[in-house]
C-alpha cells in the first residue's frame, strides 16, 4: 500500500469516529467544511477541469434549495424525490447560461460576468416571488413529530455531519472517475487549448456544456442540503455574490483542477474563519468587520504565496503525484 | 404617469448614468491597458464617497471642490497598489487576480464598516434642494453639477490619452506591451500610471456620487457589479463606450423604477446585459475580437 493511501484511510476513519468527541459547535463547523468541499468540488468540474470560470454558482445553490424546499412545503414531496426536479431545473439553467456563452463565444472574464448576471437576476426574481415567501424569507416547518424523518432530511447535527461527509466523499469519487474518463481528458485538452482540441476532433462546445450540466446538477444538491439544514431561505443571502465567492475560494486556495484541492481549501478556510471569530472575541475586540479584514488579508497572502493552491505544494512535499495535470 | 414626470425621470437617469459612466471608465481604462479586472472597483468608489463625506463634514469642503484632491489621492493609491502588489499578478491567470482583488475588496468594505458603521452617511449641501425648471420639467441642480463634473473629468482623460506623450505611450502599451517595451517604454511605470488614472476616475466619481447618493459599506459590491455591467454593455476597453454604457444603464434603471418597481431596477440592467452580450458580445462600442 502506498503512503498516500494509508494517509487517506487513516483520515477517513478519523472523520468517521470523530463525532464521538465533538460538541454541537464542532459538528456544525465540520458540516460547513464538508459543504464547502462538496460545492467546491462541483465548481471545480467547470473551472478546474474544463477551464470555465463561473462566478455565479450561487444560482444553482439557490435554485436547488428553493425547488426542493417549495416541493416539500407546498406538496409534501420528500427532498429525496424533490432533488431530481431541483437538479433538472439547475441543469436547464446551466444549459441556458452555457449555450448563451458558447454559442456567442462569450469567454473568460465575459463568461464569468454572464454567470454573475444570471445569479443576480435570480436573486432579485426570488426576492419578489411570493410563492416562496419573497423578501420575507421561505421557512421549512420544524416540529417534534417530523424530527426523526431522515427521508425528509429531518435530523440532528450528527445526521447532517454524516450526510455532508457522505456528499463530500461522493463528490470526490465522481470527480476522480470523471478525471480518468474520456470526457475528463477532453476537458483538459479543451482547457489547455480550445483551438487545438477542436482540431483533433473534440466537440468542444459539447464537452463544455456537459461540464456545466454536471457542475450545475452537483451544485443543486448543495442547495437542497442548505435548505433542509438551515430550514430557512432568503433570496438575498442564498443567491448573493458573496456565496458564489465562498464557493470558489476553497478550490482556488486548495488547488484548482486537483481532486483534493477543494477539500484542503475548505479545511483551511472554514477553520480560519472560525479561529478569527474566536481570536477577536478572546482579545475583547467587539467591532464589526475585524474578522473579515483578517480574512481578506489572509486570502491575499495565500494567493500571493501559493498561487497554484496549497494542496499541490503539500503533495509535492509528501511525494504524492497529483500535480495540475 | 404624466409626460413631464417621465421626462424628469429620463433626465435623472441620464445624469446619474454619466456619473456611473465615469466610475466605469476607470475600470475600463485599467482593464484595457493593464489587463487586470479590478474586482474592488465599487469598493474604491464607495471609499471615495466616504472620503468626500469626511471632507465635507470635518473640513467643510464642498464635494465638487474636494473632487480634485480626492482624485489625486486615489491616483496615488492606484499607482502604489499596482507597483507593489498587482504588478506581481499581471501574468497570472484570471482567477488568481480575482482572489487577490476580492481579498482587497473584503478588506476595504470591512475597514469602512469598522470606521463608519453600517449606517448611511449623508452630506448636507446648502443647494441640495435647488432645481432648474424646464417648463413643467424639474431637474435637480446637484445631478446637473455631478454629470457636468463627470463629463469634465472624462474629457480631461480623453485629452490626456489623445494628446499627451504619456497618454500615447500608455495606448501603445495597451495595443502591444512587448512592442512598447522593445521601443524603450517603461511598461511597469506606465501600468502603474494607468492603474492610478483608473482609480482617480473612480475617486472623482465617488466625490460626485456623494451628492446624489448616501454611502453605506453594502453599496460597494453593488457598485462593482454596476461598473462591470456598464463596461461590458459599452465594450471593455472602449472609453466612450463606458460613458455610453453608463447612460444606457442609468436611463434603463430610471425607467424600470418608474414602470415596474424600484427594487426590480437592477434586474433590468442585468437583463439588458444578457441581451447585449448575445447581440454584441464585445459590447456596444467594443472592438470585435476577430
Amino acid at each position: 500500500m502506498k503512503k498516500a493511501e494509508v494517509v487517506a484511510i487513516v483520515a477517513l476513519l478519523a472523520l468517521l469516529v470523530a463525532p464521538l468527541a465533538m460538541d454541537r459547535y464542532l459538528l456544525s463547523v465540520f458540516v460547513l467544511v464538508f459543504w464547502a468541499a462538496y460545492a467546491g468540488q462541483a465548481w471545480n468540474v467547470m473551472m478546474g477541469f474544463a477551464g470555465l470560470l463561473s462566478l455565479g454558482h450561487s444560482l444553482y445553490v439557490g435554485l436547488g434549495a428553493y425547488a426542493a424546499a417549495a416541493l416539500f412545503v407546498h406538496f409534501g414531496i420528500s427532498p429525496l424525490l424533490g432533488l431530481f426536479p431541483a437538479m433538472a431545473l439547475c441543469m436547464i439553467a446551466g444549459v441556458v447560461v452555457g449555450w448563451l456563452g458558447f454559442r456567442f463565444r462569450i469567454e473568460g472574464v465575459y463568461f464569468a460576468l454572464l454567470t454573475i448576471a444570471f445569479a443576480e437576476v435570480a436573486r432579485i426574481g426570488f426576492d419578489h416571488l411570493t410563492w416562496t415567501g419573497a423578501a420575507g424569507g421561505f421557512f421549512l416547518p420544524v416540529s417534534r413529530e417530523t424530527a426523526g424523518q431522515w427521508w425528509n432530511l429531518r435530523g440532528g447535527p450528527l445526521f447532517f455531519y454524516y450526510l455532508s461527509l457522505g456528499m463530500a466523499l461522493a463528490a470526490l469519487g465522481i470527480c476522480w472517475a470523471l478525471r480518468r474518463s474520456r470526457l475528463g481528458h477532453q476537458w483538459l485538452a479543451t482547457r489547455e487549448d480550445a483551438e487545438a482540441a477542436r482540431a483533433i476532433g473534440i466537440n468542444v462546445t459539447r464537452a463544455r456544456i456537459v461540464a456545466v450540466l454536471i457542475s450545475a446538477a452537483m451544485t443543486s444538491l448543495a442547495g437542497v442540503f442548505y435548505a433542509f439544514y438551515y430550514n430557512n431561505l432568503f433570496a438575498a443571502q442564498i443567491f448573493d455574490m458573496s456565496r458564489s465567492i465562498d464557493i470558489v475560494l476553497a478550490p482556488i486556495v486548495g488547488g484548482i483542477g486537483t481532486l483534493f484541492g477543494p477539500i484542503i481549501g475548505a479545511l483551511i478556510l472554514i477553520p480560519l474563519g472560525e479561529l478569527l471569530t474566536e481570536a477577536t472575541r478572546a482579545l475583547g475586540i467587539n467591532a464589526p468587520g475585524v474578522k473579515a479584514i483578517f480574512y481578506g488579508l489572509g486570502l491575499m497572502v495565500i494567493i500571493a504565496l501559493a498561487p497554484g493552491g496549497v494542496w499541490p505544494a503539500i503533495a509535492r512535499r509528501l511525494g504524492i503525484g497529483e500535480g495540475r495535470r | 404617469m404624466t409626460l413631464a414626470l417621465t421626462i424628469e425621470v429620463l433626465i435623472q437617469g441620464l445624469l446619474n448614468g454619466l456619473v456611473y459612466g465615469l466610475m466605469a471608465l476607470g475600470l475600463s481604462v485599467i482593464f484595457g491597458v493593464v489587463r487586470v479586472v479590478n474586482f474592488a472597483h465599487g469598493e474604491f468608489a464607495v471609499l471615495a464617497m466616504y472620503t468626500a463625506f469626511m471632507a465635507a463634514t470635518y473640513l467643510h469642503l464642498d464635494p465638487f471642490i474636494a473632487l480634485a484632491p480626492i482624485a489625486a489621492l486615489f491616483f496615488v493609491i492606484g499607482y502604489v497598489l499596482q507597483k507593489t502588489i498587482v504588478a506581481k499578478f499581471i501574468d497570472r491567470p484570471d482567477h488568481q487576480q480575482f482572489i487577490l482583488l476580492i481579498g482587497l475588496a473584503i478588506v476595504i468594505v470591512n475597514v469602512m464598516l469598522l470606521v463608519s458603521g453600517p449606517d448611511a452617511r449623508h452630506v448636507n449641501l446648502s443647494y441640495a434642494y435647488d432645481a432648474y425648471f424646464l417648463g413643467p420639467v424639474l431637474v435637480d441642480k446637484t445631478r446637473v453639477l455631478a454629470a457636468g463634473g463627470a463629463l469634465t473629468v472624462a474629457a480631461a482623460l480623453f485629452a490626456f490619452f489623445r494628446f499627451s506623450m504619456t497618454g500615447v505611450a500608455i495606448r501603445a502599451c495597451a495595443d502591444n506591451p512587448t512592442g512598447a517595451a522593445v521601443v524603450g517604454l517603461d511598461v511597469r511605470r506606465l501600468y502603474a500610471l494607468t492603474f492610478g488614472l483608473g482609480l482617480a476616475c473612480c475617486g472623482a466619481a465617488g466625490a460626485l456620487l456623494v451628492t446624489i447618493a448616501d454611502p453605506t459599506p453594502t453599496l460597494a459590491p453593488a457598485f462593482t457589479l454596476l461598473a462591470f455591467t456598464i463596461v461590458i454593455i459599452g465594450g471593455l476597453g472602449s472609453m466612450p463606450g463606458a460613458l455610453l454604457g453608463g447612460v444606457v444603464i442609468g436611463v434603463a434603471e430610471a425607467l424600470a423604477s418608474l414602470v415596474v418597481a424600484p427594487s426590480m431596477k437592477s434586474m433590468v440592467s442585468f437583463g439588458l446585459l444578457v441581451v447585449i452580450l448575445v447581440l454584441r458580445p464585445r459590447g456596444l462600442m467594443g472592438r470585435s475580437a476577430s
Side-chain angles (χ1 to χ4, degrees):
Chain A
M1 216 190 285
K2 277 180 281 179
K3 192 165 74 176
E5 287 170 3
V6 177
V7 173
I9 289 172
V10 170
L12 182 58
L13 286 176
L15 286 176
L16 282 175
V17 297
L20 292 174
M22 286 186 190
D23 57 4
R24 287 180 74 97
Y25 167 71
L26 262 183
L27 281 176
S28 73
V29 172
F30 270 87
V31 169
L32 287 179
V33 170
F34 298 144
W35 193 91
Y38 175 84
Q41 205 75 263
W43 178 82
N44 204 23
V45 170
M46 253 176 91
M47 177 62 203
F49 294 175
L52 299 167
L53 179 55
S54 163
L55 296 180
H57 255 50
S58 65
L59 172 68
Y60 309 120
V61 177
L63 281 181
Y66 268 104
L71 288 173
F72 180 65
V73 171
H74 291 302
F75 307 109
I77 295 172
S78 155
L80 294 188
L81 293 174
L83 64 87
F84 295 105
M87 277 166 85
L89 184 65
C90 287
M91 287 163 90
I92 292 170
V95 165
V96 172
V97 177
W99 181 79
L100 275 176
F102 311 140
R103 167 71 182 76
F104 298 99
R105 299 225 171 172
I106 300 166
E107 280 167 353
V109 183
Y110 295 87
F111 182 75
L113 262 295
L114 187 71
T115 60
I116 296 178
F118 270 89
E120 285 293 302
V121 168
R123 175 176 67 79
I124 302 164
F126 273 90
D127 232 5
H128 290 82
L129 190 66
T130 43
W131 191 57
T132 52
F138 192 42
F139 299 92
L140 280 75
V142 180
S143 70
R144 201 173 287 279
E145 291 84 66
T146 59
Q149 295 178 348
W150 60 267
W151 59 92
N152 280 337
L153 295 187
R154 310 279 76 186
L158 207 57
F159 171 76
F160 281 105
Y161 176 92
Y162 285 111
L163 182 62
S164 55
L165 175 61
M167 284 169 68
L169 290 176
L172 177 66
I174 290 170
C175 287
W176 177 78
L178 283 173
R179 224 356 230 283
R180 295 163 56 93
S181 71
R182 182 184 159 80
L183 190 61
H185 288 97
Q186 292 186 347
W187 282 338
L188 293 203
T190 309
R191 181 188 78 189
E192 294 304 323
D193 191 334
E195 283 310 312
R198 212 169 266 131
I200 57 167
I202 294 172
N203 187 338
V204 170
T205 307
R206 186 179 151 276
R208 284 178 169 168
I209 290 273
V210 174
V212 178
L213 280 177
I214 294 176
S215 184
M218 286 172 72
T219 313
S220 73
L221 295 189
V224 177
F225 181 93
Y226 181 101
F228 286 82
Y229 180 59
Y230 289 109
N231 292 314
N232 61 67
L233 293 175
F234 292 90
Q237 288 174 3
I238 200 161
F239 286 108
D240 195 67
M241 199 188 150
S242 67
R243 176 160 316 281
S244 302
I245 293 171
D246 282 344
I247 291 175
V248 312
L249 287 181
I252 292 181
V253 166
I256 221 162
T258 64
L259 289 175
F260 286 94
I263 300 172
I264 301 294
L267 275 171
I268 293 171
L269 289 174
I270 303 284
L272 175 69
E274 297 297 322
L275 277 178
L276 285 174
T277 311
E278 285 301 315
T280 46
R281 191 185 300 153
L283 290 172
I285 307 169
N286 199 18
V290 173
K291 176 200 156 187
I293 291 171
F294 284 108
Y295 192 78
L297 287 174
L299 285 181
M300 294 171 74
V301 170
I302 290 173
I303 203 67
L305 297 182
V310 176
W311 169 244
I314 299 176
R316 220 172 298 127
R317 196 148 300 172
L318 291 178
I320 305 167
E322 201 198 18
R324 242 179 85 82
R325 266 144 238 275
Chain B
M1 190 177 16
T2 62
L3 184 65
L5 177 66
T6 312
I7 295 175
E8 233 164 63
V9 168
L10 282 179
I11 292 177
Q12 220 177 65
L14 175 86
L15 298 176
N16 284 354
L18 283 168
V19 185
Y20 293 156
L22 178 63
M23 173 176 73
L25 185 60
L27 185 73
S28 188
V29 165
I30 295 173
F31 180 80
V33 179
V34 191
R35 296 274 140 194
V36 168
V37 179
N38 181 13
F39 273 94
H41 205 71
E43 282 73 7
F44 278 113
V46 176
L47 189 64
M49 289 174 82
Y50 273 110
T51 315
F53 162 77
M54 288 198 277
T57 314
Y58 301 116
L59 304 174
H60 305 288
L61 264 182
D62 189 289
F64 292 109
I65 295 165
L67 181 147
I70 290 176
L73 172 70
F74 275 69
F75 174 83
V76 174
I77 295 176
Y79 189 94
V80 172
L81 186 67
Q82 168 69 29
K83 269 268 162 152
T84 53
I85 305 174
V86 181
K88 296 184 176 63
F89 280 75
I90 285 206
D91 297 322
R92 297 220 197 153
D94 290 344
H95 65 268
Q96 292 182 17
Q97 300 173 353
F98 167 73
I99 294 290
L100 177 78
L101 288 157
I102 278 293
L104 182 64
I106 293 174
V107 171
I108 295 174
V109 167
N110 287 285
V111 166
M112 294 191 294
L113 188 68
L114 188 67
V115 173
S116 181
D119 299 329
R121 299 290 169 169
H122 182 72
V123 175
N124 285 313
L125 296 172
S126 57
Y127 49 89
Y129 299 103
D130 291 0
Y132 302 113
F133 290 91
L134 306 169
V137 177
L138 197 90
V139 183
D140 298 337
K141 186 178 174 184
T142 48
R143 275 179 225 278
V144 174
L145 287 176
L151 281 176
T152 312
V153 176
L157 195 69
F158 285 128
F160 170 77
F161 277 117
R162 169 113 358 234
F163 301 116
S164 80
M165 282 308 282
T166 318
V168 173
I170 289 177
R171 284 195 290 143
C173 266
D175 285 342
N176 187 344
T178 320
V182 166
V183 297
L185 295 177
D186 184 351
V187 176
R188 295 174 70 87
R189 189 181 135 262
L190 291 172
Y191 277 177
L193 277 177
T194 309
F195 212 107
L197 285 173
L199 282 200
C201 278
C202 191
L208 297 170
L209 276 167
V210 89
T211 64
I212 52 178
D214 296 341
T216 69
T218 46
L219 207 55
F223 270 1
T224 300
L225 279 178
L226 182 72
F228 280 133
T229 314
I230 289 172
V231 165
I232 290 197
I233 285 180
L236 259 175
S238 154
M239 293 180 43
L243 287 183
L244 178 68
V247 169
V248 168
I249 286 294
V251 170
E253 293 205 341
L255 268 183
S257 38
L258 184 69
V259 180
V260 196
S263 54
M264 303 276 272
K265 67 177 185 183
S266 43
M267 202 161 160
V268 173
S269 40
F270 290 120
L272 208 60
L273 171 69
V274 171
V275 171
I276 289 194
L277 274 178
V278 167
L279 298 179
R280 289 187 62 93
R282 301 283 145 190
L284 291 175
M285 302 188 74
R287 280 166 293 184
S288 83
S290 51

